[in-house]
Amino acid sequence: MVVAAALPLVAEYGAAVTTSQIARAAGIGEATIFRAFKDKDEVLDACVAEAVGTDHVLRELATISLDEPLDVRLTEAAEALRAHMERMGTVVGALHASGHLRPGRGGPDGREGHDGREGRDGREGRDGRERRDGRGGRDEGRDGQHGAGPPPDARAQSFLALRDGVVELIEPDRDACRLSPEKVATAFLGLLFTRLHTPAPGAEAPLSPEELIAVLLHGSLKHPGSDRWP
């Protein structure tokens, strides 16, 4: 509740947000925050962990209906992942700009990540989510690896978790694909993450989700005799 209320405030104010603002947004007394968190820095670390963690977006991917056509499923997945990446960038960027994520700052567990800090580890991992096929997910929580600067192995685990979520959306159409669902999902994420990078001035606008899915599923060549896109 505290972290959910704090996230939009952190995105707006960065490290300048106050615990009284967070308490008002959460509808609780300020003292209640300090029953769960040692100080404001610990609240901010928890916000970073929530923003960069994959649990929320994996739950969104799991709600996409497998009865929809494949292109619709993947378009919905692209929108969910875009929102996840934008939220992560907004929260981390706001804290970095306001000095909370400065280089060399150690995390709560004393380890340094990609940007010199490691996020708080108090969040549940993907083992809290049941896969569509009944298998348990990966345990990626409470190990300190979902902070703003996770080490390479944690980034790889997060990527694999996202890939597995997309694979589940592709699996019903396995027989219609020339490549395995795993390879299609990897290509999908590669195209999507490239699209999300800020384009250089004067560059072409990034692919829309519909264009991205069209290229992924049908290639970039027109069908013989067709002048339409895709």
Side-chain angles (χ1 to χ4, degrees), residues 13-229:
Y13 298 107
V17 67
T18 66
T19 51
S20 62
Q21 287 176 305
I22 295 170
R24 285 195 298 272
I28 59 176
E30 189 174 5
T32 304
I33 294 177
F34 297 109
R35 296 192 188 110
F37 300 93
K38 180 178 66 176
D39 53 27
K40 189 180 81 171
D41 275 351
E42 198 167 85
V43 177
L44 297 180
D45 286 339
C47 288
V48 172
E50 176 63 22
V52 306
T54 57
D55 291 350
H56 179 76
V57 70
L58 287 172
R59 286 193 295 270
E60 288 196 29
L61 294 180
T63 66
I64 297 174
S65 173
L66 298 181
D67 294 328
E68 296 287 352
L70 179 58
D71 60 336
V72 173
R73 277 176 260 149
L74 291 180
T75 299
E76 291 182 18
E79 291 291 356
L81 287 161
R82 178 195 58 77
H84 166 68
M85 296 295 290
E86 287 185 355
R87 181 178 72 160
M88 178 172 65
T90 299
V91 171
V92 173
L95 288 174
H96 189 277
S98 56
H100 183 72
L101 302 184
R102 59 188 180 274
R105 178 179 180 270
D109 60 1
R111 293 183 297 170
E112 285 192 350
H114 178 70
D115 63 356
R117 64 175 300 280
E118 182 66 30
R120 207 169 161 266
D121 59 0
R123 20 187 335 273
E124 186 176 351
R126 198 183 172 207
D127 58 327
R129 170 179 174 267
E130 188 69 11
R131 292 169 56 99
R132 296 181 195 267
D133 58 9
R135 292 177 291 163
R138 290 180 177 80
D139 182 0
E140 294 179 359
R142 302 192 182 277
D143 59 0
Q145 293 185 331
H146 281 298
D153 60 335
R155 289 196 295 271
Q157 289 174 9
S158 294
F159 179 85
L160 288 175
L162 294 176
R163 189 203 66 176
D164 288 350
V166 176
V167 165
E168 292 173 19
L169 298 175
I170 300 170
E171 188 63 41
D173 290 271
R174 173 183 285 271
D175 292 341
C177 295
R178 289 185 293 172
L179 299 174
S180 69
E182 290 76 15
K183 287 187 176 182
V184 176
T186 299
F188 168 78
L189 291 174
L191 285 170
L192 181 64
F193 292 158
T194 300
R195 172 187 178 272
L196 292 173
H197 287 311
T198 302
E204 290 285 338
L207 295 175
S208 68
E210 293 79 11
E211 289 173 333
L212 185 150
I213 302 307
V215 169
L216 177 70
L217 298 180
H218 308 294
S220 58
L221 296 178
K222 295 178 180 179
H223 296 294
S226 172
D227 292 327
R228 271 192 324 115
W229 170 261

